[in-house]
């Protein structure tokens, strides 16, 4: 469904329906031109019919329903896999093998196939067969312990770190690595993308400092709201500003624009409580809009905390096209941008009725439909 190609034009992806990280990986690939066919349950397709899917993570995809608990459905999936480049699988370890669509099963019909496996705990290890969610994976990776204010309990950042950054994005990255390697070897690889692994590697910057004692308890450090120059502050109208004035030049600019040039030195941590209190009182004296005008065009690193609607309308984001509208839903545009390359078609997902290009002739598809195996 790519418009004029895109860097992944010609790459075919079979995405087995699942929760957030799998569809997100498929969206990232579709955004850049891959042809993604989402395989749902037959019952799900029957329930929703041919209505376009409004889920943002299904944009640019086509969908079908297939009964993978029937031998005919498994056979049909193998036929699709024989014409695919990538499979995205989101089951617990061993489930795909029991269904007969595991990596070995599919490599028998397509040795070039890249088999991407998305789980929370990975394909092996003591926790592999157990259930979990984003909050569990980032907790076990050590990342959750870092998040929150001093004296408060750890605060999960919704499910961004485990599901999306550590999960779906890492799987999409793994697919790209495997595509590059396949270009040399001619053979596909199995990708074991575990959210606990992905969350852990996002922690890389802090590993040495945490072990050496340079990074202290939660909420007491430079980047975790411990420092007054890296925090959020309420304004007079109950809104908020984000302050990230870390470097001396940026801090000096903030002081000049707020009139707080008499603040004590921030180099002495003993002064941080006073600095925070005075910043808080100053920012509370004006509305967010007034502060936006004061800091406009400056290097003070002070930004309004926008809600999603405001973010889509902000002049910088509109100038860059950071958000787009698809099917009446405002959503982030594909990222990153490859200058000079096309991107995928962002249209809402629709049903794929003609499977001939995927190796299933019309007569065969009709037989599967009549048997209730294909929707």
């Amino acid at each position: 469904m790519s418009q004029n190609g895109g860097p992944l034009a010609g790459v075919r992806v079979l995405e087995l329906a699942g929760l957030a990280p799998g569809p997100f990986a498929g969206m990232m690939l579709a955004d850049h031109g891959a042809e993604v066919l989402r395989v749902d349950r037959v019952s799900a397709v029957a329930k929703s019919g041919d209505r376009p899917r409004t889920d943002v993570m299904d944009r640019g995809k086509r969908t079908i329903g297939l009964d993978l608990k029937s031998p005919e459905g498994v056979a049909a999936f193998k036929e699709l896999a024989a014409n695919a480049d990538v499979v995205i699988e989101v089951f617990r370890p061993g489930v795909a093998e029991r269904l007969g669509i595991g990596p070995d099963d599919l490599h028998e019909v397509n040795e070039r196939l890249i088999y991407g496996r998305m789980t929370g705990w990975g394909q092996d290890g003591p926790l592999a067969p157990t259930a979990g969610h984003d909050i569990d994976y980032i907790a076990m990776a050590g990342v959750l312990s870092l998040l929150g204010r001093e004296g408060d309990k750890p605060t999960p950042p919704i499910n961004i770190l485990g599901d999306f950054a550590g999960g779906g994005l890492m799987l999409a990255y793994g697919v790209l690595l495997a595509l590059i390697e396949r270009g040399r070897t001619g053979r596909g690889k199995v990708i074991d993308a575990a959210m606990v692994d992905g969350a852990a590697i996002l922690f890389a910057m802090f590993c040495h400092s945490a072990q050496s004692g340079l990074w202290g308890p939660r909420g007491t450090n430079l980047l975790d709201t411990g420092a007054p120059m890296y925090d959020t502050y309420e304004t007079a109208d109950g809104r908020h500003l984000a302050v990230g004035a870390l470097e001396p030049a940026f801090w000096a600019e903030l002081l000049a624009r707020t009139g707080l040039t008499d603040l004590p030195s921030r180099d002495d941590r003993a002064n941080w409580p006073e600095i925070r209190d005075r910043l808080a009182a100053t920012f509370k004296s004006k509305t967010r809009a007034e502060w936006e005008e004061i800091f406009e065009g400056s290097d003070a690193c002070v930004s309004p905390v926008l809600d999603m609607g405001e973010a889509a309308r902000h002049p910088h984001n509109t100038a860059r096209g950071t958000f787009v509208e698809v099917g009446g839903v405002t959503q982030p545009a594909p990222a990153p941008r490859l200058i000079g390359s096309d991107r995928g078609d962002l249209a809402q997902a629709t049903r794929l009725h003609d499977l001939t290009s995927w190796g299933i002739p019309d007569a065969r598809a009709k037989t599967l439909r009549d048997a209730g195996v294909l929707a």
Side-chain angles (χ1 to χ4, degrees):
M1 293 182 70
S2 61
Q3 293 172 322
N4 298 302
L8 295 179
V11 175
R12 288 184 151 192
V13 181
L14 277 176
E15 177 196 308
L16 287 159
L19 296 177
F24 183 71
M27 182 199 79
M28 292 295 292
L29 300 174
D31 278 354
H32 295 285
E35 181 182 353
V36 180
L37 179 60
R38 178 183 168 104
V39 180
D40 286 299
R41 296 174 184 267
V42 170
S43 58
V45 172
K47 182 178 181 180
S48 60
D50 277 347
R51 294 192 306 273
R53 298 178 66 99
T54 57
D55 191 314
V56 171
M57 293 187 294
D58 285 333
R59 69 188 185 192
K61 303 175 185 179
R62 305 298 294 275
T63 68
I64 61 170
L66 202 58
D67 181 4
L68 294 177
K69 293 185 178 180
S70 71
E72 296 86 354
V74 169
F77 188 82
K78 287 183 176 180
E79 292 173 58
L80 296 172
N83 292 277
D85 295 286
V86 180
V87 164
I88 293 177
E89 178 254 295
V90 292
F91 305 140
R92 288 199 202 189
V95 171
E97 283 80 358
R98 290 196 293 274
L99 291 172
I101 56 171
D104 292 343
D105 303 303
L106 300 190
H107 281 151
E108 288 181 359
V109 299
N110 182 0
E111 67 175 9
R112 291 175 55 82
L113 185 71
I114 294 164
Y115 198 105
R117 317 196 80 168
M118 180 80 265
T119 61
W121 302 116
Q123 295 300 312
D124 53 25
L127 294 175
T130 65
H133 277 294
D134 177 291
I135 193 170
D136 303 301
Y137 311 136
I138 67 173
M140 290 293 288
V143 177
L144 183 55
S145 68
L146 303 177
L147 308 178
R149 293 187 176 275
E150 183 180 12
D152 284 354
K153 61 183 180 180
T155 303
I158 54 180
N159 62 327
I160 292 175
L161 280 180
D163 281 351
F164 297 107
L169 191 58
M170 291 295 177
L171 176 56
Y173 175 56
V175 167
L176 301 183
L177 295 177
L179 284 169
I180 293 171
E181 182 171 312
R182 191 182 70 177
R184 296 196 304 267
T185 67
R187 298 182 65 85
K189 278 290 179 69
V190 178
I191 304 165
D192 180 1
M195 285 175 253
V196 65
D197 298 348
I201 201 167
L202 294 171
F203 173 66
M205 172 181 170
F206 304 97
C207 286
H208 176 263
S209 54
Q211 294 172 46
S212 64
L214 295 176
W215 191 266
R218 177 175 59 254
T220 65
N221 304 282
L222 188 63
L223 301 176
D224 63 358
T225 74
M229 49 278 196
Y230 201 88
D231 205 348
T232 58
Y233 292 90
E234 187 177 359
T235 56
D237 51 350
R239 300 191 174 192
H240 294 85
L241 296 171
V243 174
L246 294 177
E247 291 77 4
F250 303 158
W251 181 245
E253 181 77 8
L254 181 147
L255 297 182
R257 301 236 173 185
T258 57
L260 293 172
T261 53
D262 62 336
L263 280 179
S265 172
R266 67 178 192 171
D267 294 336
D268 185 349
R269 290 177 66 108
N271 293 329
W272 283 9
E274 179 185 349
I275 294 172
R276 187 186 304 278
D277 289 345
R278 292 189 60 189
L279 281 174
T282 299
F283 285 130
K284 195 73 181 287
S285 69
K286 300 180 187 297
T287 66
R288 195 188 74 182
E290 289 175 319
W291 285 117
E292 288 181 69
E293 185 175 350
I294 289 171
F295 286 108
E296 183 176 3
S298 80
D299 277 346
C301 299
V302 177
S303 302
V305 177
L306 305 178
D307 62 30
M308 293 301 294
E310 291 174 319
R313 298 188 299 269
H314 190 276
H316 180 81
N317 294 334
T318 56
R320 284 186 55 79
T322 300
F323 293 86
V324 296
E325 185 175 306
V326 179
V329 179
T330 300
Q331 53 196 265
R337 307 176 188 197
L338 274 67
I339 304 302
S341 292
D342 296 312
R343 68 186 187 192
D345 182 359
L346 303 185
Q348 293 174 287
T350 54
R351 302 298 180 201
L352 180 61
H353 296 286
D354 183 359
L355 291 172
T356 55
S357 65
W358 281 84
I360 298 182
D362 287 340
R364 167 89 168 123
K366 183 179 185 303
T367 299
L368 293 169
R369 288 191 186 97
D370 290 345
V373 174
L374 172 68

